[in-house]
Amino acid sequence: MPLISAHTLIRIVASFHLTLGYLLIKSPETLSRVDSINVLGEALGLQQPNSALWQNPLAAGIAGLVLILSGISDMIATGGQEDTARNYWGNQGPVRCTFFAFVTGYIYIFKPGLGNTNYKTSEPLLNSLVFGWAFFESIWWFWIFTNLREEKSEAMARIARRRKHQEELEEN
């Protein structure tokens, strides 16, 4: 049995999405000053996000709304029936983990300048902010996926007992 359940981790990630969405709408410049993002970017030789992120409120606002929508839909999906939610998250976990691992790999492989952080690229996604977000998301979703796999046998037994109990109540 894992220390933190998969559904609790999903709720934490959903809360993180809601917070990031709010920050992207209200003050996106605060995200560029996060120490872990800056240290990770400098260590990997990625360029820091430029001011275009917060000088374009439309793009930051839309990204914030997408993150808020993702957070709300994830919160709602964790509150459903256990068998349906387990099936949904059992499929979503590896897909999201793989997607964010590919985004992380893409940014790392195609980073500009190969260690020269003064070199600027025209691609807005190749920076430490997007890399840090995708990297942390891939870690979270891998942890969620492994927890779902660990909890699977106990959950299936619990669901089978619940169905059996429901069938017995319907017979009487």
Side-chain angles (χ1 to χ4, degrees), residues 16-111:
F16 177 68
H17 288 163
L18 291 172
T19 305
L20 275 179
Y22 175 78
L23 286 174
L24 278 171
I25 291 171
K26 288 297 181 184
S27 66
E29 66 273 1
T30 58
L31 293 176
S32 67
R33 294 187 302 245
V34 175
D35 290 335
S36 60
I37 299 297
N38 290 330
V39 168
L40 190 62
E42 287 295 323
L44 295 173
L46 294 167
Q47 67 184 19
Q48 299 302 321
N50 55 16
S51 62
L53 174 68
W54 51 88
Q55 288 179 349
N56 186 354
L58 178 63
I62 289 174
L65 288 175
V66 168
L67 281 171
I68 289 172
L69 176 65
S70 173
I72 291 171
S73 65
D74 288 352
M75 286 283 199
I76 291 171
T78 58
Q81 290 184 343
E82 186 177 14
D83 54 344
T84 308
R86 289 220 166 260
N87 188 26
Y88 176 77
W89 291 114
N91 292 327
Q92 281 291 311
V95 169
R96 291 185 187 197
C97 180
T98 304
F99 174 77
F100 287 115
F102 278 129
V103 171
T104 303
Y106 173 80
I107 293 172
Y108 182 72
I109 290 171
F110 296 108
K111 66 183 176 182

Side-chain angles (χ1 to χ4, degrees), residues 57-162:
L58 178 63
I62 289 174
L65 288 175
V66 168
L67 281 171
I68 289 172
L69 176 65
S70 173
I72 291 171
S73 65
D74 288 352
M75 286 283 199
I76 291 171
T78 58
Q81 290 184 343
E82 186 177 14
D83 54 344
T84 308
R86 289 220 166 260
N87 188 26
Y88 176 77
W89 291 114
N91 292 327
Q92 281 291 311
V95 169
R96 291 185 187 197
C97 180
T98 304
F99 174 77
F100 287 115
F102 278 129
V103 171
T104 303
Y106 173 80
I107 293 172
Y108 182 72
I109 290 171
F110 296 108
K111 66 183 176 182
L114 295 174
N116 182 6
T117 57
N118 295 328
Y119 177 76
K120 301 294 182 196
T121 181
S122 62
E123 290 190 48
L125 295 180
L126 298 180
N127 62 47
S128 62
L129 181 64
V130 177
F131 179 84
W133 171 65
F135 180 72
F136 290 125
E137 285 277 341
S138 64
I139 290 172
W140 275 102
W141 284 107
F142 182 73
W143 189 11
I144 290 168
F145 174 66
T146 56
N147 280 3
L148 283 168
R149 298 293 294 169
E150 281 183 40
E151 297 170 353
K152 187 174 185 175
S153 61
E154 292 174 17
M156 290 300 140
R158 193 171 45 248
I159 291 168
R161 280 194 309 270
R162 190 177 306 129

